[in-house]
Amino acid sequence: MMRYIFASFIFASFVVAAPVAGGKPLSYDVTILFNVYFAEWDPELAVRDNFYTLMRRAECSTIQGCHECVANGCGYSKTDFHCQTKKKDSANPNLVITATACPHIDQIQGVFPAVNKDASHNPDGKKAGVHTPEVKAEMDRIAGHVFHGDGSTSTTGGRHTSASFEKDNKGAKVTNHNEASHIKEYNGSKTVFDSDHYSETDIRNMCSVAIKLRLDDDKANAATKGQPKGFVVQSPHGHPVCVETFATGTGSCYPKGTGTPTEPLNHPC
């Protein structure tokens, strides 16, 4: 194995460029390749894929931004917001792999901008998209209610995913379904995210955007502080959704109706 790694590393030092889809040349930094080989060595990957794939893995990690990432055949992480190689043998719900979902990432990173490293106040820095501690704490607190109905006195409380609601409400009827944004309504009133199209990460990200916008609005409008508020949030499916949140009691986050909002992103709805 070490001979394979060493030979590949030596070969990489002579590679100036390699073709990729679309005819765009790839320039490889030997230091990056060295780090990928030794710090992130995956023997299964070495057996399964060729040397070009390993070089591709290094290239993906250097690409900035969701749009450029997916345009180069890589995947953009919805959790730590960096570009990485897609594993061809599995579908990862926490990776953006098509341009359709990039506006969703754009909004998240706009609402949660990057924080530069600062030796005194912020030694670790923060990538754009990473939720603030205040928002993360609220999302973690309400997650049990949103996904499983924790704290509810009935089987219809919380459970704002189709899988969770149907599990505890046998025979519930879908009375409305937005097939573009994949928001469902049950029994004429209960609105949920369609579990076939939203991962828990998708919902957490959308709810976190709505929470941050509500907290900012509370600071600007003391008269309505603490009330449930809905804001226009971009879904991963190319269509916006009105997402409402509140913090009192169990707190919650849910789609406010099944319609597609006409207001701009980040605005009340």
Side-chain angles (χ1 to χ4, degrees):
M1 180 184 294
M2 290 304 297
R3 286 198 301 271
Y4 177 87
I5 298 173
F6 182 74
S8 298
F9 176 70
I10 294 299
F11 176 73
S13 67
F14 290 100
V15 174
V16 176
V20 296
K24 180 181 177 181
L26 296 179
S27 297
Y28 294 97
D29 184 276
V30 173
T31 302
I32 293 174
L33 285 172
F34 185 88
N35 289 338
V36 169
Y37 273 62
F38 288 92
E40 302 180 26
W41 176 252
D42 181 347
E44 291 186 6
L45 184 64
V47 172
R48 186 175 66 246
D49 295 333
N50 57 25
F51 177 71
Y52 171 75
T53 301
L54 292 173
M55 295 179 74
R56 183 69 174 162
R57 183 180 183 185
E59 173 66 12
C60 287
S61 68
T62 68
I63 297 174
Q64 299 295 314
C66 181
H67 297 269
E68 187 71 13
C69 179
V70 300
N72 279 277
C74 307
Y76 200 81
S77 172
K78 301 176 185 178
T79 55
D80 52 9
F81 304 98
H82 74 278
C83 189
Q84 62 188 64
T85 301
K86 296 182 298 184
K87 287 192 174 182
K88 66 182 182 181
D89 59 345
S90 63
N92 185 344
N94 292 330
L95 283 185
V96 172
I97 58 174
T98 67
T100 300
C102 282
H104 167 65
I105 297 295
D106 292 341
Q107 185 187 24
I108 297 169
Q109 294 188 309
V111 171
F112 298 103
V115 176
N116 293 328
K117 291 184 178 181
D118 181 286
S120 301
H121 305 292
N122 189 35
D124 298 324
K126 180 169 70 68
K127 292 181 180 178
V130 176
H131 308 158
T132 60
E134 182 182 23
V135 169
K136 184 179 184 302
E138 181 171 331
M139 186 65 236
D140 287 345
R141 182 177 70 82
I142 70 173
H145 180 75
V146 172
F147 294 109
H148 308 294
D150 292 358
S152 301
T153 57
S154 74
T155 60
T156 59
R159 300 170 179 84
H160 288 287
T161 68
S162 59
S164 179
F165 190 77
E166 289 179 6
K167 174 178 175 291
D168 293 332
N169 295 274
K170 305 298 184 185
K173 294 182 179 180
V174 176
T175 49
N176 206 337
H177 183 198
N178 187 324
E179 295 185 0
S181 60
H182 302 293
I183 301 300
K184 286 184 173 182
E185 176 192 83
Y186 290 91
N187 302 332
S189 60
K190 183 73 177 186
T191 50
V192 303
F193 297 94
D194 186 342
S195 299
D196 289 336
H197 297 277
Y198 288 92
S199 68
E200 180 171 330
T201 297
D202 292 330
I203 297 170
R204 279 179 170 270
N205 278 339
M206 292 179 70
C207 287
S208 293
V209 167
I211 290 170
K212 180 64 164 63
L213 295 172
R214 190 197 78 235
L215 292 174
D216 289 347
D217 189 78
D218 283 350
K219 293 173 184 176
N221 298 287
T224 59
K225 183 177 181 179
Q227 296 179 10
K229 294 178 181 178
F231 292 90
V232 182
V233 179
Q234 184 69 31
S235 78
H237 309 297
H239 297 274
V241 175
C242 184
V243 178
E244 187 166 83
T245 68
F246 64 88
T248 56
T250 60
S252 197
C253 170
Y254 44 85
K256 187 179 180 182
T258 58
T260 300
T262 57
E263 300 87 352
L265 294 180
N266 301 337
H267 281 62
C269 52

